[in-house]
Amino acid sequence: ATWWNSWGSGLYAAAGPRLRAAMGPGYLHRYVTVCSRGVCVRLRLITSCACQPPSRLIDLSLDAFSRLASPSLGVLEVIVSW
């Protein structure tokens, strides 16, 4: 996972192509749980992203990423469930 901060504060994310394919056409506005390093955060999928490289499933809001790790890491290995 990576992070972006273009929509302001809050716990939300953008679903990448692989996550959208796995969840199906009703992915938008659904809640997912994202875990890393023994910490989990529940957030809402509010949009889609290209998420490059394609192995990246999700872009997290800055607030969501910050609950899992320091944003200075830039990229974080995560498990996404719904």
Side-chain angles (χ1 to χ4, degrees):
T2 53
W3 62 271
W4 97 107
N5 192 28
S6 63
W7 290 23
S9 63
L11 299 177
Y12 56 86
R18 289 180 54 208
L19 183 57
R20 294 192 307 268
M23 293 183 75
Y27 75 91
L28 205 55
H29 303 297
R30 286 181 61 184
Y31 284 88
V32 295
T33 301
V34 179
C35 300
S36 182
R37 303 173 174 196
V39 178
C40 297
V41 63
R42 184 166 160 83
L43 47 89
R44 191 173 192 182
L45 296 174
I46 62 167
T47 190
S48 62
C49 69
C51 295
Q52 294 297 318
S55 60
R56 293 206 183 119
L57 295 176
I58 195 166
D59 275 349
L60 305 176
S61 67
L62 179 58
D63 287 346
F65 195 101
S66 296
R67 295 209 181 175
L68 300 174
S70 171
S72 66
L73 288 177
V75 179
L76 189 61
E77 189 171 322
V78 298
I79 295 172
V80 181
S81 59
W82 59 93

